[in-house]
Amino acid sequence: MSVFSCTSVTKYNEQRLSLIPPEKLREDVDFTYLKLQEMHPKLNWYISKEELDFKFDSLKTTITKPLTPTQFYFKLQPVIAKIREGHLSLRIPAKRFSKKEIRALKNKKGLFGRFEYHVKGDHLYFIENKDSIQNIKPGTELLSINNVPVSDYLKKYRELISSDGYNKTFYPYYLKDVFFNFFVAEKGIMDSAKIETLYNNERQILTLKRETKDKKDLEKDKAEKKRSPEKKLNDYVVSTSSYNRNFKFLDKDSTIAYMKIKSFSRSFADRFYKESFAKIKNAESSYLIIDIRENYGGSLYEINQLYSYLAPEPFVLIKPSQLASRVTPLKTNYFKTSNPLQYAYKSLTYPGYFLYQAFNVYKGKDGIAYYKMKENKSTKPKDNAFKGKVYVLINGGSFSASSIISSKLKFDQRVTLVGEETGGANDGTVAGFYSYQKLPNSKIDLPIGLLLVQPNITFENKQKGVVPDVEINENMQDIIDKKDVQLDWVKNDIQRLKDSKVEN
């Protein structure tokens, strides 16, 4: 198996660096557009067919010389981004590493990954430097990397991503998270880099170096991988050294409950919500704050569970899920990434999977194919569903499932939304499960979402995100000072409500 894996990595990396003739690349453009038309259930939601035809045709005229898969990615992905469907994106053909290379990297600290960043327009700032690397202070702007302006990279990479529709708040959040993913895929992993910075009108030239981890660092890595009951319940993520979920009371008398959810991962979700809402009930809390800022989404099952602890009556979370055709659920690459043993097992279970997928597809009265999901059906509230005042914190990093639950809660007038417009659309998105297509010549992966997932609301067709009831924007200085102006507004509003009750 290890020899096969090593050969596979070598072969992939060789192909990744090979030059592909222009006529073959144009074939990949046609293949991409054909598969999107065949499988995507809402391809022309934000762009007309005529305009999209023109963009794909125009792209082909620009391909006049051989390109590597990575170079081709940077030409094709900006066209796909014009579809304005945030889940739809080519997988960037980044270098793959052998087990030996992975082990070597694990023994070294990150080069750029040890900082936290903030994007504003065409500017990238350091906002956190826990290890005091090169004494770079929060608020310092990163001007260039190896003499190339960072603004050039930001403009280039911004063209590769899209939110749902015409939302503008998603870009700075997502771009700060993926900037160095794009950079490394394009430039490779570096052991050092010369950077130019700007702080208080003073420019500096610094050299960042990838350091070897000491014994203390390696022991910390090992400890973080151990799964304690707390880590399981709160869904600990080793790569970020943080919990996906947190619950606490914000005051001594436990009247204000606070729930931070970074991702709807589903892992241990049932237990987390069951225990958290039991604590809320036992404490007789009057207020609940649910924080889903910078939560890129995840499981529909989990948001349905969460909603069942907030709903005053039976509810249906999402509308029937539309498909491009009745056969697309059968094109989900059931055998994808299977080793020989897994392939043999899946071969035995495939007939059951095939029947399950086929059984869940039905034709609506409108002649459109739909897919049955639990979240399409009525769900009863939990016995200990919270009946008090609920605030939900949102921002441009609230995407996908975060936007769906925000949209539904707002429509049902169950909560007060505070913060920024969400990065995901108010009226839904295309995701669910995927068909993983591989472009025949460049071998780039193209995952295509097969389900139109929309909250069970009356649509406004504004082609934007979920707009908060109370808009509170934070600036970079707030972030540097660790001043949470959005949460502070909620706390002040709760105090106002408490004071008015005392007066009455």
Side-chain angles (χ1 to χ4, degrees):
M1 287 297 294
S2 59
V3 174
F4 175 79
S5 177
C6 185
T7 303
S8 176
V9 168
T10 302
K11 186 177 179 182
Y12 168 85
N13 287 330
E14 287 175 352
Q15 193 277 332
R16 175 179 171 270
L17 298 173
S18 64
L19 286 168
I20 303 165
E23 63 272 15
K24 293 295 183 183
L25 295 173
R26 289 192 289 268
E27 285 180 10
D28 277 6
V29 173
D30 287 335
F31 176 88
T32 298
Y33 195 22
L34 179 67
K35 291 300 178 183
L36 288 173
Q37 290 172 308
E38 179 186 323
M39 296 184 181
H40 197 284
K42 199 79 169 174
L43 190 60
N44 302 116
W45 198 347
Y46 303 111
I47 185 170
S48 69
K49 185 179 184 303
E50 292 73 23
E51 189 179 354
L52 196 54
D53 287 346
F54 176 78
K55 289 190 179 298
F56 273 100
D57 288 340
S58 298
L59 171 62
K60 287 194 291 184
T61 65
T62 69
I63 301 173
T64 57
K65 62 180 182 180
L67 301 172
T68 65
T70 303
Q71 291 169 332
F72 179 54
Y73 168 87
F74 279 98
K75 289 184 77 71
L76 177 55
Q77 178 53 34
V79 174
I80 291 176
K82 296 298 182 187
I83 295 169
R84 299 184 182 278
E85 206 287 285
H87 289 84
L88 183 61
S89 178
L90 293 167
R91 294 271 177 87
I92 189 166
K95 179 186 174 182
R96 290 179 185 170
F97 297 93
S98 65
K99 290 182 178 179
K100 183 179 179 181
E101 289 173 319
I102 292 170
R103 281 196 298 270
L105 284 171
K106 282 183 177 179
N107 289 329
K108 290 188 175 183
K109 298 179 181 180
L111 189 62
F112 293 104
R114 295 161 69 191
F115 303 94
E116 295 293 328
Y117 301 92
H118 176 79
V119 169
K120 185 175 182 181
D122 293 330
H123 303 271
L124 182 67
Y125 300 90
F126 297 94
I127 57 168
E128 193 166 359
N129 180 9
K130 290 180 180 178
D131 297 338
S132 300
I133 301 163
Q134 292 283 25
N135 200 30
I136 295 171
K137 293 180 173 58
T140 299
E141 182 177 359
L142 178 58
L143 295 176
S144 69
I145 305 172
N146 293 335
N147 299 318
V148 178
V150 166
S151 59
D152 289 355
Y153 289 120
L154 285 168
K155 289 170 186 173
K156 182 178 183 180
Y157 298 160
R158 192 183 186 283
E159 293 298 309
L160 303 174
I161 64 176
S162 70
S163 59
D164 290 334
Y166 292 88
N167 162 279
K168 297 288 178 63
T169 61
F170 182 65
Y171 294 100
Y173 290 96
Y174 194 59
L175 198 46
K176 74 175 174 61
D177 288 342
V178 299
F179 180 91
F180 286 103
N181 293 351
F182 289 136
F183 180 82
V184 169
E186 188 178 11
K187 301 294 182 181
I189 287 184
M190 302 171 177
D191 286 325
S192 66
K194 184 179 77 171
I195 63 171
E196 183 182 8
T197 64
L198 177 66
Y199 183 76
N200 281 350
N201 296 317
E202 182 182 335
R203 289 175 181 253
Q204 271 193 304
I205 303 295
L206 304 169
T207 300
L208 297 181
K209 293 184 178 180
R210 192 182 295 275
E211 303 168 17
T212 300
K213 292 180 180 177
D214 57 25
K215 187 178 179 181
K216 187 178 178 181
D217 293 319
L218 294 172
E219 286 176 352
K220 183 183 176 183
D221 290 347
K222 191 175 180 181
E224 286 199 333
K225 289 179 182 177
K226 292 181 179 178
R227 301 283 282 172
S228 66
E230 182 191 12
K231 284 183 176 181
K232 288 181 180 180
L233 178 63
N234 296 309
D235 194 18
Y236 187 74
V237 181
V238 174
S239 61
T240 59
S241 301
S242 64
Y243 295 98
N244 262 340
R245 305 185 196 93
N246 278 295
F247 174 81
K248 61 184 177 181
F249 293 106
L250 296 184
D251 52 352
K252 291 180 180 179
D253 58 3
S254 301
T255 59
I256 307 171
Y258 173 84
M259 199 175 284
K260 172 67 177 175
I261 308 164
K262 289 186 177 181
S263 171
F264 293 113
S265 66
R266 185 166 177 172
S267 300
F268 299 97
D270 291 356
R271 185 178 162 195
F272 173 82
Y273 293 119
K274 183 178 180 180
E275 293 188 9
S276 297
F277 280 96
K279 290 175 184 176
I280 291 170
K281 186 174 184 178
N282 290 337
E284 297 182 349
S285 305
S286 301
Y287 306 94
L288 170 61
I289 304 169
I290 301 174
D291 188 347
I292 54 173
R293 292 173 294 180
E294 294 189 57
N295 180 327
Y296 291 139
S299 165
L300 281 175
Y301 173 88
E302 180 171 341
I303 62 171
N304 199 63
Q305 281 290 93
L306 174 55
Y307 203 100
S308 69
Y309 284 98
L310 305 173
E313 57 190 23
F315 67 95
V316 177
L317 181 71
I318 60 174
K319 289 185 179 293
S321 301
Q322 184 178 324
L323 296 159
S325 76
R326 299 190 69 162
V327 298
T328 52
L330 305 177
K331 299 180 179 181
T332 54
N333 313 84
Y334 183 69
F335 294 97
K336 185 177 184 290
T337 65
S338 300
N339 62 39
L341 186 62
Q342 291 169 331
Y343 190 93
Y345 174 76
K346 286 183 176 181
S347 296
L348 296 173
T349 58
Y350 181 70
Y353 167 81
F354 181 92
L355 289 172
Y356 176 82
Q357 290 291 78
F359 175 76
N360 281 310
V361 176
Y362 67 96
K363 195 171 185 179
K365 292 179 181 178
D366 52 8
I368 295 173
Y370 293 93
Y371 190 84
K372 295 177 186 175
M373 298 182 74
K374 181 182 178 182
E375 294 76 24
N376 300 147
K377 300 172 184 176
S378 181
T379 301
K380 293 180 180 179
K382 298 293 185 183
D383 291 338
N384 60 339
F386 182 69
K387 294 179 174 61
K389 173 76 173 172
V390 183
Y391 297 85
V392 175
L393 295 172
I394 56 173
N395 64 13
S398 305
F399 186 72
S400 190
S402 295
S403 298
I404 289 169
I405 192 169
S406 299
S407 176
K408 176 64 174 167
L409 285 166
K410 182 180 181 181
F411 179 78
D412 290 346
Q413 299 182 329
R414 179 63 188 95
V415 304
T416 299
L417 294 177
V418 179
E420 299 173 345
E421 177 190 342
T422 63
N426 183 81
D427 293 356
T429 190
V430 175
F433 44 81
Y434 290 78
S435 177
Y436 293 86
Q437 299 296 313
K438 187 181 289 291
L439 278 54
N441 301 302
S442 61
K443 307 301 181 186
I444 298 175
D445 288 326
L446 172 63
I448 303 174
L450 302 180
L451 291 181
L452 175 60
V453 182
Q454 296 183 283
N456 186 30
I457 64 171
T458 300
F459 300 129
E460 299 177 0
N461 298 314
K462 290 183 179 178
Q463 300 187 334
K464 292 185 69 177
V466 185
V467 178
D469 298 299
V470 180
E471 185 175 359
I472 306 287
N473 295 305
E474 63 178 1
N475 57 42
M476 189 174 69
Q477 195 58 49
D478 293 330
I479 299 168
I480 292 169
D481 295 340
K482 300 189 184 302
K483 184 180 178 183
D484 194 335
V485 292
Q486 293 157 345
L487 181 58
D488 287 346
W489 184 92
V490 174
K491 288 178 180 178
N492 291 334
D493 195 56
I494 290 172
Q495 190 59 52
R496 177 185 63 81
L497 293 173
K498 285 181 176 181
D499 292 344
S500 66
K501 285 181 180 178
V502 171
E503 290 174 7
N504 293 331

